[in-house]
Amino acid sequence: GYVILASLIEIISGLPFAEFLKINIFNPFGMKNTHLSNDVSSKNSIQNFAFGKVFDRNKNTFVYPENLIEYEYVTFLDGIQGDGG
């Protein structure tokens, strides 16, 4: 649903989703270090990037998703905007 919402925002506003967010949300609220990132691999090149962890029941602790076997079955849709990023 969020991908469809982002697409609708682009169609209605005539702006790319990232630009719409920058003009209408990030800039007015003084969010100078906030931007849209839709490339999972770019996390290493973004200063202060926050990347979520998931709970590993076997280790009884939180780990980065790439440390779980299930991660091998994840398909990243880099380039898609609206959900995540």
Side-chain angles (χ1 to χ4, degrees), residues 24-50:
N24 294 285
I25 297 176
F26 303 151
N27 286 348
F29 288 97
M31 300 168 73
K32 297 176 183 178
N33 296 315
T34 305
H35 65 275
L36 185 66
S37 174
N38 59 351
D39 178 5
V40 163
S41 63
S42 69
K43 71 178 180 183
N44 296 323
S45 63
I46 299 172
Q47 186 177 3
N48 298 318
F49 184 85

Side-chain angles (χ1 to χ4, degrees), residues 6-62:
S7 296
L8 286 172
I9 288 172
E10 289 184 334
I11 291 168
I12 293 168
S13 71
L15 297 170
F17 186 57
E19 188 67 18
F20 178 87
L21 292 177
K22 181 178 178 181
I23 292 170
N24 294 285
I25 297 176
F26 303 151
N27 286 348
F29 288 97
M31 300 168 73
K32 297 176 183 178
N33 296 315
T34 305
H35 65 275
L36 185 66
S37 174
N38 59 351
D39 178 5
V40 163
S41 63
S42 69
K43 71 178 180 183
N44 296 323
S45 63
I46 299 172
Q47 186 177 3
N48 298 318
F49 184 85
F51 192 67
K53 291 186 175 184
V54 295
F55 190 75
D56 183 342
R57 285 182 264 157
N58 297 321
K59 295 180 180 178
N60 199 34
T61 189
F62 288 92

